[in-house]
Amino acid sequence: MTKLKRSLGFTAAYAASTGLVVSGTAMVSLGNGFGTGGLAFAIPAFIGLVIILMVAISYGELASMLPGGGMVGEYTMPALGRLMAIIAVLGGYMVLVSADGGTQLMVAGNAFQSLTGVPAPAFSFLLLAILFALNIAGVNFYARVQIPIVVTKMSILAIMGFCGIFGLGTGTPVDNPFLATDWGTLASMGAVAIWLYIGMEFVAPLAEEIKDPWKNIPLAMVAGVITIFIVDLLFGWGATRYADLAEMASSSIPQVVGATAIFGGAGGLIMTLGTIAASFSTGNSYLAAIPRMLYGLANEGLLPKWFGKVSRRTRVPWAGMIVTAACMASVLAYSMFSSGGIDLILTLVSIACTTWLLSYIIAQVDVIVLRRKYPNAKRPFKTPFYPLPQVLGIASCIYLIVFIVPDFDQRIVIWSVAGILIAAIALFGIVWLKANRLPLFTPTDLTHTQSNIIVRSESMDHEYDDAADSADSTGDPAGAEPEGADLR
């Protein structure tokens, strides 16, 4: 069997965790949030940070316990069974890449068109082709591209924001109110705020290619979202000191509006290039993470075996990459015939956010179920203050789904579309599992899932056992035998 190559360290893990978070649509949400709410948008942004940290440490525990590329699918099988695993992956992530993947490329195309006049669809499809070629070439190419792009785009946001805050911009400062809307509208901007961080778990599907995943994955997620909050706050604060908030709120590229207000045409040019880089790194993350989730499900018999095919030369899951790229291209093609602008972008983001939050709920339920069912299993990283983060995290995700957007009629549309998509995925899962004579809700044995990961993965060194033993000595009963397979 051709195995994925374990070659990535913390820096690559950090870039994978933040690469999707600082995305083209996240930058749009950032500009739209501060344009709509003013500097007061920092309040829901901070609340979103607290929520996402609770989700991140849940994923950290699960990734240390089951360090496989199937991610939430493999976490869910021993907790809630195969059908919920299929819903968690396809509902949470294939809907995401379909709704948001093409949107990211559309944002990059719009930015490039505003800069050069080149039609947005032409550039967007070219960008997708480049991303596919880079990822099919191997995971090391992904890391080499992702790391400098992540550092560059976060530096642009931070430096521009700093200059705006301290009045160092070339534009004319304006006197904007702290709260540019009413408190009710601000309170319902949770989905816009959570989108600033959502996707930090995209490092987890690379668990079979990351060195010491039990350490580097949780650390990358926590460090990543904290960094994102600081950088986003700096830029949002700086932009509100110079920009027309109404113009930011209505624009399909509000981050460019904010940067232009701070530094004029030069600022707009730099942010346009930063937006293209952000969309590039997001597409890069999609094509790195989603195929590995499909690979993990295929190896567990939850998808056709074709999805588990790995290139002998570059050792990447090429079959899943083709499907992922096709999903991104389909929405991009749809956007060519739609003139929705910022409304289309925010609607697609909200649909993706709804199904994604459902996947977050499933993951946090997984932690609770596995803690109860396998209390002595090896967990090199354990959620602190368990089960408080899981309980609060689940409640917060439900609240965000219920109040996904301020307008109730629009909520009905978003819930309906998301519900239809989840129902279709559930129907596929039922048909597939029944056809293969597999139970729908019977959880798999933890050792079975761990053994599959062992067979297909390059080994980890003895530090995994040392870390697990250290965690056991602080959390599990003294002298208890650990459950599960040896993951060295």
Side-chain angles (χ1 to χ4, degrees):
M1 172 185 282
T2 304
K3 299 182 178 182
L4 300 177
K5 185 177 180 181
R6 194 179 298 282
S7 60
L8 305 178
F10 170 76
T11 304
Y14 177 83
S17 183
T18 55
L20 183 61
V21 178
V22 189
S23 64
T25 53
M27 294 176 75
V28 170
S29 294
L30 171 66
N32 182 266
F34 278 100
T36 302
L39 184 55
F41 180 69
I43 298 172
F46 178 75
I47 295 172
L49 171 66
V50 174
I51 294 171
I52 212 70
L53 280 172
M54 291 186 286
V55 177
I57 58 178
S58 290
Y59 271 95
E61 176 170 323
L62 292 167
S64 75
M65 187 180 185
L66 292 161
M71 210 259 276
V72 72
E74 288 179 317
Y75 308 156
T76 304
M77 284 193 301
L80 303 174
R82 292 176 173 87
L83 180 59
M84 291 304 296
I86 292 174
I87 292 173
V89 173
L90 300 188
Y93 295 94
M94 288 309 293
V95 172
L96 163 72
V97 77
S98 298
D100 184 60
T103 308
Q104 296 287 350
L105 298 172
M106 181 172 65
V107 169
N110 289 341
F112 193 75
Q113 181 174 320
S114 71
L115 181 65
T116 66
V118 173
F123 179 77
S124 298
F125 277 107
L126 174 62
L127 193 60
L128 177 59
I130 293 171
L131 287 166
F132 183 81
L134 283 173
N135 278 273
I136 209 74
V139 71
N140 286 333
F141 281 93
Y142 159 81
R144 290 169 191 164
V145 171
Q146 191 77 345
I147 293 170
I149 288 179
V150 167
V151 172
T152 299
K153 65 188 182 180
M154 287 200 294
S155 298
I156 289 172
L157 288 173
I159 292 172
M160 282 193 173
F162 181 87
C163 291
I165 292 169
F166 291 98
L168 303 177
T170 59
T172 303
V174 295
D175 186 20
N176 282 315
F178 174 76
L179 177 66
T181 184
D182 59 89
W183 287 106
T185 300
L186 187 72
S188 63
M189 294 180 70
V192 177
I194 203 71
W195 194 262
L196 302 178
Y197 316 103
I198 204 164
M200 50 77 209
E201 78 282 7
F202 263 53
V203 63
L206 300 175
E208 295 177 43
E209 295 153 282
I210 293 175
K211 301 172 185 176
D212 300 333
W214 48 268
K215 176 178 66 177
N216 286 326
I217 289 177
L219 183 59
M221 289 189 291
V222 172
V225 295
I226 292 174
T227 305
I228 295 304
F229 173 73
I230 294 171
V231 169
D232 284 356
L233 179 61
L234 286 174
F235 178 76
W237 190 354
T240 59
R241 294 203 60 196
Y242 282 84
D244 182 317
L245 298 186
E247 184 181 359
M248 283 182 66
S250 61
S251 173
S252 62
I253 45 174
Q255 72 280 13
V256 176
V257 173
T260 303
I262 298 172
F263 279 116
L269 172 62
I270 293 171
M271 185 56 70
T272 298
L273 295 175
T275 299
I276 294 170
S279 296
F280 183 93
S281 73
T282 302
N284 205 25
S285 292
Y286 282 147
L287 284 167
I290 301 295
R292 285 158 177 82
M293 297 184 201
L294 302 178
Y295 158 86
L297 285 187
N299 277 282
E300 294 289 349
L302 304 188
L303 286 177
K305 291 183 179 179
W306 182 79
F307 285 92
K309 289 186 176 295
V310 174
S311 168
R312 291 184 179 275
R313 184 174 64 85
T314 61
R315 295 165 70 177
V316 297
W318 61 267
M321 285 186 185
I322 292 175
V323 174
T324 303
C327 288
M328 296 169 70
S330 65
V331 172
L332 180 57
Y334 167 76
S335 71
M336 291 171 58
F337 302 99
S338 174
S339 57
I342 185 64
D343 292 332
L344 174 63
I345 291 172
L346 292 178
T347 297
L348 290 172
V349 164
S350 297
I351 293 169
C353 192
T354 300
T355 59
W356 208 344
L357 287 168
L358 176 62
S359 185
Y360 278 5
I361 292 171
I362 293 172
Q364 292 172 98
V365 171
D366 289 343
V367 173
I368 296 171
V369 172
L370 292 175
R371 281 278 191 127
R372 290 176 175 272
K373 191 174 181 181
Y374 300 99
N376 301 321
K378 288 184 177 180
R379 295 174 175 86
F381 175 83
K382 288 187 175 183
T383 302
F385 308 113
Y386 169 86
L388 185 61
Q390 286 71 39
V391 173
L392 293 177
I394 291 169
S396 298
C397 290
I398 293 173
Y399 173 84
L400 291 172
I401 291 174
V402 172
F403 297 98
I404 190 70
V405 291
D407 183 71
F408 182 77
D409 291 337
Q410 192 177 3
R411 286 181 211 166
I412 296 296
V413 173
I414 292 167
W415 293 337
S416 299
V417 174
I420 291 170
L421 292 171
I422 293 297
I425 290 166
L427 179 61
F428 160 78
I430 292 170
V431 172
W432 175 261
L433 293 173
K434 288 294 185 182
N436 288 274
R437 297 182 179 180
L438 293 171
L440 302 182
F441 298 105
T442 303
T444 60
D445 183 70
L446 177 65
T447 303
H448 163 81
T449 305
Q450 289 179 323
S451 296
N452 281 351
I453 294 172
I454 293 168
V455 168
R456 69 175 192 252
S457 303
E458 288 190 350
S459 63
M460 291 180 281
D461 55 32
H462 289 280
E463 290 184 15
Y464 180 91
D465 286 330
D466 295 340
D469 292 340
S470 175
D472 289 339
S473 68
T474 60
D476 288 339
E481 289 296 321
E483 298 167 347
D486 186 348
L487 292 174
R488 283 179 295 177

